[in-house]
Amino acid sequence: MKKLLILENGAVFTGTGFGGLGSCSGEVVFTTGMTGYQQAITDQSYANQILVFTNPLIGNYGVNLNNMEALQPACAGVICHRVARVSNNWRQSATLPAFLKKWAIPGMTGVDTRALTKLLREHGTLKGKVVDADEEPDVEAIVKELQGTPAQTQLAYQVATKKKYLVPGNGHTVILVDLGAKESIVRALVARGCNVIVVPANVTPGEINQIHPDGVLLSNGPGDPASLTGVIAMVKQIQERYPLFGICLGHQVLALANGAKTVKMRFGHRGFNHPVRNLQTKQTFFTSQNHGYVIDAASIDPHQIMVTYQEINDGTIEGIAIKNHPAFSVQFHPDAAPGPHDADQLFDQFIQLMGQQKGVANA
């Protein structure tokens, strides 16, 4: 079935449909990862977005349960240059088209993704809609519809768990505030022996105090961080009491809780090849990233926040530490799966911070 991708600036791309039937709409964003399509599709940070893969072929190793970052995908649609006709992997449980069909997520193949990506880089992120060409859609009407659609806020509350649950361990007790958390974060904590309690995004300081954890991790997730006023207020209250570690959206929330502001990026960082520099050690490494917002450097109070990491390509802030509290965060994903593992020592840093705070409390 022939499909059209219609963008809010009037551009139209053609392709062939696969996966789920019907139409979808959302922000059109691109990722430069050369592998890991399943992890990207099931990453809740892509909630309500149409995901464009710049790698020319996806789907060649199918889909398997081990690579799921969430129980179900949250992206609105998938666009690629070519989806594999045949996939093969000893862990494969389904083909990519079958997986998308199961979750009613429309896909498009045969798209000039190079031209589409160049357009997004030039104009910035655009809203778009995937429709069936056979229905002879009114392109002009759809463009006006997209232009009048407001940006969605508080998406983290939509994709986060609604009930707390336990992933047991015999080490530090860590509360993972689910703002759209990737399963790889849980795996990284469990690998270090942590007793992980995953809680909803609307968790209150009182509920956290009842558990009395050794530390709190603020997860990644979708949407505008400034709209999460409840989460920001919660962090303001608990950051004096518990060690905090923020990742991606959690990093932005920590900054907002300490007086900084965030701004929407032109087209964001999405992929596994983003170079980052540690401003203290001057060490450079590659990171996995997926974000459309960033901390506004001009809004930072240097007496309260120290910038620890910086993106080499565009100079954006990639990490901070709070000077008066045992709290730090990074914009990138140290839990990258797949992707570079250069920064996974940050989980060890979190473990050490919890140990130090325990020692101070017991002294």
Side-chain angles (χ1 to χ4, degrees):
M1 179 181 294
K2 186 179 179 182
K3 285 187 176 290
L4 302 178
L5 168 66
I6 302 171
L7 300 176
E8 63 175 308
N9 69 343
V12 178
F13 290 82
T14 62
T16 303
F18 72 97
L21 302 175
S23 63
C24 68
S25 59
E27 277 192 330
V28 182
V29 300
F30 65 88
T31 176
T32 59
M34 295 185 68
T35 185
Y37 54 82
Q38 182 183 345
Q39 287 91 339
I41 290 169
T42 57
D43 182 348
Q44 302 295 289
S45 296
Y46 286 113
N48 293 0
Q49 293 180 326
I50 298 174
L51 184 53
V52 180
F53 289 92
T54 61
N55 194 58
L57 173 67
I58 66 169
N60 56 312
Y61 53 86
V63 171
N64 68 82
L65 295 177
N66 292 339
N67 288 350
M68 298 285 284
E69 288 290 2
L71 292 176
Q72 66 183 68
C75 67
V78 172
I79 294 176
C80 63
H81 178 66
R82 179 184 174 193
V83 64
R85 291 184 295 107
V86 177
S87 58
N88 185 33
N89 184 280
W90 66 276
R91 296 187 305 171
Q92 176 177 294
S93 58
T95 65
L96 178 58
F99 177 76
L100 294 182
K101 183 176 182 179
K102 173 185 176 181
W103 293 107
I105 297 175
M108 280 180 66
T109 183
V111 178
D112 187 347
T113 51
R114 182 177 179 84
L116 175 55
T117 300
K118 290 176 68 175
L119 183 81
L120 295 175
R121 284 181 59 88
E122 179 182 350
H123 292 276
T125 300
L126 296 167
K127 294 189 287 290
K129 187 170 186 177
V130 173
V131 297
D132 293 335
D134 295 342
E135 296 180 0
E136 298 182 355
D138 185 336
V139 174
E140 186 175 339
I142 291 174
V143 169
K144 289 182 179 179
E145 171 193 331
L146 292 170
Q147 292 174 346
T149 302
Q152 290 186 297
T153 60
Q154 297 188 322
L155 285 171
Y157 294 117
Q158 298 180 26
V159 301
T161 182
K162 300 302 183 284
K163 295 181 179 180
K164 68 179 179 181
Y165 62 91
L166 170 68
V167 183
N170 55 12
H172 294 294
T173 295
V174 175
I175 284 182
L176 172 58
V177 180
D178 183 2
L179 306 177
K182 294 171 63 179
E183 187 63 28
S184 52
I185 293 177
V186 178
R187 289 194 293 266
L189 292 171
V190 170
R192 290 161 175 80
C194 292
N195 186 49
V196 183
I197 302 174
V198 184
V199 299
N202 61 359
V203 65
T204 66
E207 291 169 333
I208 290 177
N209 290 336
Q210 286 180 350
I211 299 172
H212 196 71
D214 297 311
V216 177
L217 196 154
L218 308 170
S219 85
N220 64 293
D224 183 352
S227 71
L228 303 178
T229 53
V231 182
I232 295 167
M234 177 271 291
V235 172
K236 286 181 179 179
Q237 293 188 51
I238 69 168
Q239 63 181 355
E240 295 185 9
R241 186 167 184 178
Y242 307 108
L244 292 182
F245 178 23
I247 295 176
C248 200
L249 181 60
H251 157 78
Q252 297 159 358
V253 166
L254 180 63
L256 289 165
N258 286 276
K261 297 180 180 179
T262 54
V263 293
K264 188 173 178 60
M265 303 177 74
R266 186 172 178 81
F267 49 79
H269 293 164
R270 297 175 180 89
F272 308 132
N273 56 351
H274 292 270
V276 168
R277 177 179 289 116
N278 183 319
L279 298 181
Q280 280 68 54
T281 67
K282 307 304 179 184
Q283 178 188 13
T284 297
F285 47 88
F286 285 95
T287 64
S288 170
Q289 299 193 19
N290 174 15
H291 61 101
Y293 288 82
V294 69
I295 297 173
D296 181 3
S299 70
I300 285 182
D301 180 356
H303 297 99
Q304 192 167 356
I305 298 176
M306 177 175 66
V307 177
T308 55
Y309 293 89
Q310 188 177 48
E311 222 273 5
I312 291 176
N313 287 329
D314 60 15
T316 52
I317 294 173
E318 289 288 339
I320 61 171
I322 308 304
K323 292 188 175 181
N324 299 321
H325 305 305
F328 71 100
S329 62
V330 292
Q331 183 67 79
F332 50 87
H333 289 266
D335 55 292
H341 296 168
D342 301 20
D344 62 357
Q345 79 279 357
L346 287 168
F347 286 100
D348 299 323
Q349 181 179 330
F350 183 44
I351 299 294
Q352 292 169 5
L353 182 60
M354 288 188 288
Q356 291 169 3
Q357 290 299 116
K358 249 185 174 180
V360 171
N362 295 332

